[in-house]
Amino acid sequence: MRTRQDGSTVTGPPDRRWGWPATGQSLVRLLVLGLLVLASCTRPSPQPSPIPDTQPTATTVASEGGPRPSAEPSGTHAPAAPAHPLPGGPPNETLLAFGELLDEEGRLSLETALAVFAGSVAPLPGVVPQQLPGDDAAAVGELAARVLLSNLDRLPPEVAQAVEQAVYGGIEDWIEIPPSGTTSDRLSGTLAGVLAPPPARAQGRADVEHVRALVENVRGRIEERAGRRLRLPLRVGLNPRLGSDTDAVASPVLSGNSRVIACRIAFNPAILGNASAEEVTAAHEVWHCFQFDYVGLAGDERSWLVEGQAEWVGAAIATDPSDSARWWNTWLGAPHVSLWRRSYDAIGLYAAAEAAGHDPFEAMLEMFRLRNQEAVSRLFGGRSYEEALQIVAQSLVRSPEFGPEWEASGPGITTTRATATLALRPDVPDVEASLDAGPFGSLPLDVSIDPGDRPLVQVTVFGEGSGSVEFPEHGPLRLAPGAGIWFCLRPAECTCPDGSPPRGGADPTLLAEPRGVATVFAPAGGTIGLRVRAVDRDEACSRLVGTWTASVMEILAANLAPYGGVPAGMDCSGDIVMTFRDDGTFERSWQGDCQMSGSHRVIRGAGRQTGTYEDLGDELIFRDVRTVVTADFGFSFAVTDNGRATYRIEGDRLAIQFTTPDGATIVQIYRRAG
């Protein structure tokens, strides 16, 4: 289904068979037998097609670079994008709210679909309606309708009847378009026509014939691009009762054993005369027929697959894709949103794959057989899920002056841009940006650097994401989770006085220009962020190697801070000493006494830890840690509970930060000894 304000597909109500008179049954058998004899004597079509004549529940698409499933190659076509992006706009509020109702895979539950339908399309008996914010309630109602129309047998009869009446009550006349392809394909379609009630002759012949020509035209173009035939006959009609925001509805026609034998599309006559809306809508709905044909009615209602594919096909096939512009605004304007919570706005995912050199037609139908991350990988030609995410995240920055990988493109794209600015200034030497992102979400950033007298700059990713950064002539540079990269702006101060790089890392990259771009992206979702800070040479060259101390009470307070703090009345004395050596080993020892007020009992403890460490410049990795204790006071003196910690040195002060297995963040402060 596709709408004016928001596009959608509804897997419509199945056409169930009804009984034929005994004489009619005999005639049907005779006609079927005659057709089979005719097929055995008919010369094969001169246009070969390897697609089987039987209806599979799923079909494997040829892998990239392998033989195509049709004698007519399609290749990777340039998207039919306008010469310049169309005017942008804000993300669709209703679409975003609807996405929050989907589950972690991208599906809408039957119960929620009922409530949304009742609140957006039409009342349903015994169903409490759910209203969504924004002006496009009809659009999300149509997404809910697709779920209901695919599960009519699970609904109470009166509810199922109300759903069908609301969506198809105005449909009376249809016209049939035979399937394309081989003789056997046409025979299969003819048999379907025999077994199903014949469509009535349509009224408004001129308009219906126009729609017939339109559908046949886009079907042919899709078949050429996809390298496969649509084997189902098409039934098209005009429904003046469709809501003003609804362009069309596509649904499967089922046989008595629930096999898909045809695809029907009801068009709103209101779109006729709008060339872009006609083409985009027709191609969108015909692609749903391909989904019914090759995927079947398996109940896979992941909206980012079902609707994202159809919207991209509609725009890619259309001569004028401007009618798809409204969906680009949500893709471009809300990059943090989980891919699994997208629908029509997932048009940008398929466009990004095409821009990266991967023909979506080669993968789209196969994606339904795969789990989400595997489906994304298949779309991007077998690249890893994380690689595909980096490609998409960089494109959403929309700064083509840094290279084509930093710009989004696609048919019907708009100027919408959600990139934030992270500006480092002499008076603000430490800045960061962060947000909560869903799986496959990202944070696009412009980065400008004016560090004043500080010659060195460190860019660090934090949270649950990875990142990518680029400055003129440098990049894209990948940032691993928790890792940072050093840059410098004055050649004479890029290294420490002894010639070594800052903090034991690699030599800093000398920047010719102080403006760059960056993105942070979340494979599994979570808080993601980027930190940029200016550092003077003395701080950058401060060495971790040496001895550091803290009091037992200070470390005890730091470790217990996330858990309510040190128990009231408890007091400890003694010191903790930590030494980092040049050979990559470390030692940590402590000795202390603790006592509760009002008690004469003193708890004495001592311990020693040894192991190796790796200094990554702003991160420590502890390995082979061995601990010998007489008393550790429980959890109090752990160096880190997962082997990794970030650190920062300011003068003679060392701050070590790590995360415990239960998610608590702990910051321990030490002072340089001597």
Side-chain angles (χ1 to χ4, degrees):
M1 179 179 290
R2 201 166 183 280
T3 69
R4 286 282 73 232
Q5 298 300 321
D6 205 336
S8 108
T9 295
V10 174
T11 302
D15 281 348
R16 300 293 180 185
R17 306 284 70 83
W18 51 79
W20 291 68
T23 302
Q25 292 177 359
S26 299
L27 289 174
V28 168
R29 294 191 188 100
L30 180 60
L31 179 57
V32 170
L33 178 61
L35 288 169
L36 291 172
V37 173
L38 177 63
S40 66
C41 300
T42 303
R43 187 175 181 176
S45 169
Q47 295 179 330
S49 173
I51 297 173
D53 295 329
T54 57
Q55 179 83 13
T57 56
T59 300
T60 300
V61 183
S63 61
E64 185 180 7
R68 303 189 64 79
S70 170
E72 298 179 14
S74 67
T76 300
H77 294 240
H84 301 286
L86 299 165
N92 186 298
E93 183 182 6
T94 309
L95 200 61
L96 292 175
F98 177 80
E100 293 300 314
L101 302 178
L102 303 175
D103 66 17
E104 294 180 356
E105 294 292 316
R107 298 180 178 90
L108 187 69
S109 72
L110 188 61
E111 293 73 17
T112 305
L114 285 166
V116 172
F117 187 97
S120 306
V121 180
L124 296 176
V127 176
V128 178
Q130 179 169 353
Q131 304 292 337
L132 294 176
D135 300 325
D136 294 329
V140 298
E142 289 145 10
L143 284 166
R146 185 184 66 240
V147 175
L148 301 183
L149 292 168
S150 297
N151 294 277
L152 288 175
D153 57 346
R154 296 175 56 192
L155 302 178
E158 66 277 12
V159 175
Q161 182 179 3
V163 171
E164 290 188 273
Q165 182 64 27
V167 178
Y168 290 102
I171 301 295
E172 296 178 358
D173 301 323
W174 300 88
I175 189 167
E176 182 154 333
I177 303 173
S180 63
T182 64
T183 299
S184 56
D185 287 332
R186 290 193 294 270
L187 173 61
S188 176
T190 303
L191 290 174
V194 170
L195 297 174
R201 184 171 181 82
Q203 299 176 353
R205 176 58 55 184
D207 286 343
V208 173
E209 290 298 333
H210 172 74
V211 172
R212 178 212 288 269
L214 172 67
V215 169
E216 288 182 330
N217 181 277
V218 299
R219 180 184 64 181
R221 281 187 274 165
I222 292 174
E223 288 178 335
E224 181 182 0
R225 285 288 304 270
R228 60 176 63 223
R229 301 294 187 183
L230 178 60
R231 301 165 299 184
L232 299 175
L234 296 171
R235 296 177 181 176
V236 298
L238 296 173
N239 182 7
R241 296 187 187 178
L242 287 176
S244 60
D245 292 339
T246 303
D247 291 349
V249 178
S251 61
V253 179
L254 304 182
S255 66
N257 60 357
S258 297
R259 180 172 176 266
V260 181
I261 59 173
C263 180
R264 61 180 178 178
I265 308 174
F267 288 90
N268 190 333
I271 71 168
L272 301 182
N274 182 332
S276 177
E278 286 182 5
E279 271 195 309
V280 172
T281 299
H284 180 115
E285 303 303 335
V286 168
W287 185 251
H288 284 314
C289 296
F290 273 85
Q291 292 171 339
F292 301 146
D293 189 5
Y294 287 93
V295 180
L297 197 65
D300 189 342
E301 297 296 335
R302 287 176 286 177
S303 291
W304 70 276
L305 287 177
V306 175
E307 296 301 341
Q309 287 184 7
E311 195 59 36
W312 178 81
V313 171
I317 292 299
T319 306
D320 175 8
S322 58
D323 198 57
S324 290
R326 59 190 187 272
W327 307 126
W328 277 101
N329 291 332
T330 304
W331 173 262
L332 299 169
H336 65 285
V337 171
S338 167
L339 176 60
W340 324 138
R341 298 190 182 278
R342 295 189 184 273
S343 52
Y344 310 110
D345 51 324
I347 181 176
L349 176 74
Y350 301 91
E354 185 179 39
H358 308 290
D359 186 356
F361 280 110
E362 294 185 352
M364 288 191 292
L365 295 175
E366 185 182 349
M367 291 169 69
F368 285 92
R369 299 192 304 107
L370 304 172
R371 296 177 65 89
N372 281 355
Q373 293 191 12
E374 295 170 340
V376 171
S377 177
R378 178 67 187 90
L379 178 64
F380 282 80
R383 293 176 183 245
S384 71
Y385 171 76
E386 289 75 14
E387 287 179 299
L389 173 53
Q390 181 176 350
I391 290 170
V392 170
Q394 289 183 177
S395 73
L396 291 171
V397 176
R398 310 211 68 186
S399 294
E401 64 271 26
F402 288 91
E405 64 269 28
W406 293 98
E407 174 61 301
S409 63
I413 195 170
T414 68
T415 58
T416 298
R417 184 173 187 260
T419 305
T421 297
L422 201 56
L424 190 72
R425 306 193 308 267
D427 59 327
V428 186
D430 193 338
V431 293
E432 65 179 44
S434 65
L435 53 72
D436 291 330
F440 212 81
S442 66
L443 170 61
L445 294 164
D446 279 323
V447 180
S448 65
I449 295 174
D450 180 8
D453 295 334
R454 300 174 177 86
L456 294 161
V457 172
Q458 188 182 42
V459 179
T460 308
V461 168
F462 63 89
E464 305 300 318
S466 300
S468 181
V469 63
E470 180 164 346
F471 289 89
E473 301 181 10
H474 300 290
L477 304 173
R478 181 70 184 267
L479 293 167
I485 298 178
W486 287 93
F487 298 94
C488 72
L489 285 83
R490 294 197 288 271
E493 299 182 75
C494 287
T495 58
C496 297
D498 61 0
S500 63
R503 290 285 172 79
D507 289 336
T509 299
L510 179 63
L511 297 181
E513 297 182 30
R515 178 179 174 261
V517 287
T519 181
V520 187
F521 40 90
T527 300
I528 57 175
L530 191 76
R531 181 187 183 194
V532 181
R533 67 187 188 98
V535 183
D536 61 40
R537 196 181 186 197
D538 289 341
E539 179 185 345
C541 293
S542 297
R543 294 298 175 212
L544 182 64
V545 171
T547 299
W548 305 83
T549 66
S551 72
V552 167
M553 194 64 184
E554 289 170 333
I555 299 303
L556 182 66
N559 288 348
L560 296 181
Y563 307 100
V566 177
M570 186 175 186
D571 185 43
C572 298
S573 61
D575 293 314
I576 297 175
V577 179
M578 185 155 54
T579 301
F580 294 95
R581 303 185 182 92
D582 282 322
D583 62 2
T585 63
F586 82 93
E587 179 179 341
R588 187 168 179 267
S589 60
W590 62 90
Q591 184 170 352
D593 296 340
C594 289
Q595 185 176 9
M596 296 295 295
S597 61
S599 172
H600 298 289
R601 184 185 176 190
V602 176
I603 302 176
R604 293 185 170 86
R608 178 172 176 266
Q609 285 179 325
T610 60
T612 63
Y613 72 95
E614 182 179 358
D615 182 2
L616 302 180
D618 58 356
E619 183 179 12
L620 288 169
I621 301 178
F622 295 95
R623 298 187 177 95
D624 304 319
V625 178
R626 294 179 174 84
T627 304
V628 178
V629 298
T630 58
D632 189 17
F633 310 127
F635 167 64
S636 307
F637 301 124
V639 175
T640 166
D641 283 272
N642 59 8
R644 304 179 74 98
T646 59
Y647 79 92
R648 182 175 179 179
I649 299 174
E650 295 180 348
D652 291 332
R653 181 177 178 271
L654 168 64
I656 295 179
Q657 177 175 313
F658 60 91
T659 303
T660 67
D662 60 2
T665 298
I666 292 176
V667 180
Q668 299 176 348
I669 305 298
Y670 297 84
R671 294 170 297 280
R672 192 182 292 276

